[in-house]
Amino acid sequence: MDWTHVAFDWNRARAFLVTAEEGSLSAAARALKMTQPTLGRQVSALEEELGVTLFDRQGRGLTLTESGMALVEHVRRMGEAAGRVSLAASGQAQGAEGSVTVTASEVYAMWLLPVVAAKLRRQAPGITLEIVAANEVRDLGRREADIAIRNARPEQPDLIARQIATDSAAFYAAPRYLETLGPVKRLEDLARAAFIGFDPLGRYIGYLNQIGLAVTEANFPVVSTSHLVQMEMARAGLGICAVSRGMGDADAGLRRVLRAPPDIRYPVWLVAHREVRTSHRVRLVYDLLADTIPGLLQKRRAVP
């Protein structure tokens, strides 16, 4: 590595990162427990040091410039690495104790979190992982969980959110159901198929209509709020359901309906309360989730 090109001050980079996450100098100053003028000078000094403009000033708020957006993820990884250095130096990784609650959808809780739990057990056996498997959004502000895995960015200003991956879904069904359905070559061919529906059904039908599927309530023999129930109904041959590709492709009881499925993509956000900055055990679990989940989502087998 050419160390001569690493010439900026980490404290200034940290000031930039926290300002980007908080959205204003005043909020960032409170988070870092320093005065706003001091924080502003650090951000300005970093801009001068790097020769770029990092923020557009709009009233009291700040918006990342194109240069700022290009740099913020790199600085965020620096911050996470710095946190891990602090944990390792103080022996906190092995000494961390207590409970951390993670909430995720049923599918993610069953599919992704066992791998995370096994890693956590090896790295920090003193931490108890409490998993809330729920499709409803839990309120982190009210401490219903410490960390959440969500498919939408939170709107609450007191939460820290990071998009760690992008997931995608496709349509799956049991092989025996596809045999009775007949040839399916285009998305439009599925208009005659039976689907396992989400509740509320109207919103799901609206989405399918939007992507080119002319379905009505008559296409839905079963509706459930549970993704796991939907998959079991599909395995039983009752119709087609939408499943994350990584999970669906690995399921021996399901087969992808279309080789070129519609582009059903959605972000995966890791969300936590600001306590993640001060709680060693919460930060350790947060970093472990961020490091592990993207790789799990990318594991897919070839479609036959």
Side-chain angles (χ1 to χ4, degrees):
M1 180 172 179
D2 185 358
W3 294 104
T4 61
H5 287 86
V6 183
F8 60 87
D9 188 312
W10 160 243
N11 287 325
R12 295 171 180 174
R14 183 185 65 162
F16 159 61
L17 174 61
V18 178
T19 302
E21 290 182 339
E22 299 293 337
S24 71
L25 288 172
S26 57
R30 288 194 297 270
L32 291 174
K33 294 181 172 58
M34 63 173 60
T35 65
Q36 183 173 332
T38 298
L39 182 70
R41 284 193 294 271
Q42 289 189 350
V43 173
S44 296
L46 181 64
E47 290 179 316
E48 183 176 350
E49 205 167 36
L50 298 178
V52 296
T53 300
L54 299 172
F55 294 104
D56 285 327
R57 276 71 174 174
Q58 299 177 348
R60 295 184 177 180
L62 297 174
T63 303
L64 283 170
T65 62
E66 185 174 346
S67 297
M69 287 188 289
L71 292 175
V72 70
E73 283 304 319
H74 297 293
V75 178
R76 183 174 283 119
R77 286 193 288 270
M78 289 173 58
E80 291 164 357
R84 287 192 288 270
V85 168
S86 296
L87 290 175
S90 61
Q92 295 281 355
Q94 287 297 325
E97 295 183 349
S99 175
V100 177
T101 302
V102 177
T103 180
S105 68
E106 290 178 310
V107 167
Y108 280 177
M110 182 187 75
W111 173 31
L112 305 177
L113 293 188
V115 177
V116 176
K119 287 186 175 182
L120 180 66
R121 187 64 182 165
R122 292 192 296 270
Q123 294 182 20
I127 293 179
T128 300
L129 186 65
E130 296 185 19
I131 298 173
V132 179
N135 296 327
E136 303 83 12
V137 174
R138 295 306 175 103
D139 190 340
L140 269 63
R142 295 182 179 179
R143 291 299 195 273
E144 292 182 351
D146 298 304
I147 302 170
I149 305 169
R150 297 179 180 174
N151 294 124
R153 183 172 189 166
E155 298 180 355
Q156 298 94 321
D158 59 339
L159 298 182
I160 293 172
R162 175 188 172 192
Q163 184 178 344
I164 58 172
T166 299
D167 199 4
S168 59
F171 293 125
Y172 294 84
R176 64 179 180 274
Y177 175 74
L178 294 178
E179 290 175 2
T180 64
L181 184 61
V184 176
K185 297 182 179 179
R186 303 176 305 162
L187 183 64
E188 293 79 1
D189 294 336
L190 296 180
R192 66 179 187 275
F195 283 82
I196 312 301
F198 290 89
D199 187 24
L201 182 57
R203 185 183 303 171
Y204 188 40
I205 290 176
Y207 172 75
L208 295 180
N209 293 164
Q210 184 180 350
I211 66 174
L213 260 176
V215 294
T216 67
E217 290 187 8
N219 292 86
F220 293 85
V222 179
V223 178
S224 175
T225 58
S226 169
H227 295 167
L228 300 183
V229 169
Q230 292 166 20
M231 293 178 65
E232 285 299 325
M233 294 295 175
R235 291 190 192 99
L238 291 170
I240 295 170
C241 70
V243 184
S244 175
R245 291 189 197 180
M247 191 174 190
D249 288 349
D251 194 313
L254 297 173
R255 183 180 299 168
R256 197 188 292 186
V257 177
L258 292 166
R259 285 184 175 272
D263 191 23
I264 307 174
R265 296 171 63 84
Y266 41 91
V268 180
W269 288 88
L270 198 58
V271 186
H273 198 270
R274 289 178 179 172
E275 184 185 9
V276 72
R277 293 200 183 104
T278 57
S279 171
H280 290 299
R281 69 178 187 278
V282 175
R283 185 73 206 203
L284 193 152
V285 176
Y286 185 93
D287 289 339
L288 188 60
L289 289 164
D291 291 342
T292 305
I293 288 177
L296 295 176
L297 292 175
Q298 292 172 3
K299 288 184 178 180
R300 299 170 184 157
R301 66 178 176 86
V303 179

